Amino acid sequence: IKEEGIDTIVNLTWKGSYGDDRFDRELQLSNLKNVEFLIKLSKDLNLGLINFGTVSQLITAADGTTPVSEYGNAKREVSRLLARTFTNASDNKGQSLEIILGNVYGGEDLTNRFVSMALSKLANDEPLSINSNGEQDFYPTFIKDFTETVSSLIRKGESGVYLLSREVIPMKEFLTTAKKVLNSKSVITFGKVIETSPNWVHNEAVKSRFDLEETISLTTKSLQEQER
């Protein structure tokens, strides 16, 4: 790892984030064991470790944790483990970064999160149905921009809670832009549900090297290659 010049591990291996798998105790325990292994590896090799996850509602660092699933319990234990391991390190040099993200997307995304699902449907000219009216704030962040921004925070020695976002646009604008870029014949149907956009404060803007249309093209190309 050191010979390859790797100084940070990003854990994207968490399984069981959706549906009934969130209540699968054995699956969530395996996630916890994976993080424990990566923590040991990062300490042995003096590397940084990022445990990646997503949230679907507004939370703050001051909010309490009341898990209602094995997934929630596992995530809470990982947060405690990371805090004990790094924040309270005996040399007091540990970093603890909590990264709040909206919609991260990019190539080789096998999780079928919303952006990947939507782009795949548009690329295949399949109908796309959205429950909301599409006017809510959308926080699209390209994976390469995300990793470079987090790496910058690590290099600067930052700790704390950060909300990262590249730009804020209505969901409808993102999807219609994607349809145009992909020259898609898909019919996008929006519902009547009005979703309240969280009043997030962006304390770390993602400085993108790519424009929105380019990231859509790059992501879709990678997704299509995986489907072959």
Side-chain angles (χ1 to χ4, degrees):
I1 289 178
K2 285 293 189 180
E3 291 178 356
E4 294 293 331
I6 297 173
D7 59 10
T8 303
I9 300 173
V10 180
N11 178 25
L12 297 173
T13 63
W14 200 283
K15 300 177 181 178
S17 299
Y18 303 92
D20 292 340
D21 286 343
R22 293 173 68 93
F23 299 90
D24 187 326
R25 182 175 178 80
E26 293 302 317
L27 181 60
Q28 300 304 333
L29 281 175
S30 70
N31 288 327
L32 188 55
K33 290 178 181 178
N34 285 340
V35 174
E36 289 176 336
F37 167 76
L38 290 173
I39 287 176
K40 183 179 186 304
L41 180 64
S42 65
K43 290 180 67 179
D44 290 345
L45 298 179
N46 194 29
L47 302 173
L49 171 65
I50 302 170
N51 188 57
F52 177 82
T54 60
V55 296
S56 58
Q57 62 189 46
L58 179 61
I59 61 172
T60 70
D63 289 336
T65 52
T66 53
V68 295
S69 66
E70 297 300 333
Y71 167 85
N73 284 325
K75 282 288 187 178
R76 179 177 62 179
E77 291 308 308
V78 165
S79 295
R80 290 173 175 174
L81 181 59
L82 290 172
R84 288 197 302 270
T85 303
F86 296 107
T87 306
N88 300 323
S90 58
D91 60 5
N92 201 32
K93 294 180 181 179
Q95 279 181 267
S96 177
L97 282 172
E98 258 185 273
I99 308 298
I100 301 174
L101 292 164
N103 304 92
V104 177
Y105 62 99
E108 301 181 10
D109 182 2
L110 303 179
T111 62
N112 200 33
R113 285 193 290 264
F114 174 76
V115 174
S116 296
M117 177 275 294
L119 293 181
S120 292
K121 284 182 175 292
L122 293 174
N124 294 318
D125 294 329
E126 298 175 10
L128 179 61
S129 179
I130 308 297
N131 290 330
S132 76
N133 62 5
E135 298 298 332
Q136 71 268 32
D137 287 345
F138 198 63
Y139 299 77
T141 302
F142 191 48
I143 186 64
K144 290 186 178 181
D145 295 327
F146 159 67
T147 53
E148 289 177 7
T149 303
V150 172
S151 295
S152 175
L153 289 171
I154 292 172
R155 288 193 299 271
K156 291 188 291 185
E158 299 288 348
S159 292
V161 181
Y162 287 84
L163 172 64
L164 305 187
S165 65
R166 177 183 186 274
E167 59 185 323
V168 182
I169 59 176
M171 177 190 285
K172 182 180 292 185
E173 181 179 336
F174 178 84
L175 293 176
T176 53
T177 299
K179 180 178 178 179
K180 177 183 176 182
V181 170
L182 301 175
N183 194 26
S184 173
K185 297 180 176 62
S186 297
V187 175
I188 305 176
T189 304
F190 294 95
K192 297 182 179 180
V193 177
I194 299 176
E195 293 191 10
T196 303
S197 299
N199 185 24
W200 281 348
V201 178
H202 307 100
N203 54 7
E204 185 70 19
V206 174
K207 299 175 179 61
S208 179
R209 295 189 292 109
F210 311 90
D211 62 35
L212 182 61
E213 294 187 2
E214 184 179 7
T215 65
I216 290 173
S217 296
L218 290 170
T219 301
T220 306
K221 180 180 178 181
S222 177
L223 291 172
Q224 289 176 320
E225 290 174 349
Q226 294 173 66
E227 293 175 355
R228 296 193 183 107

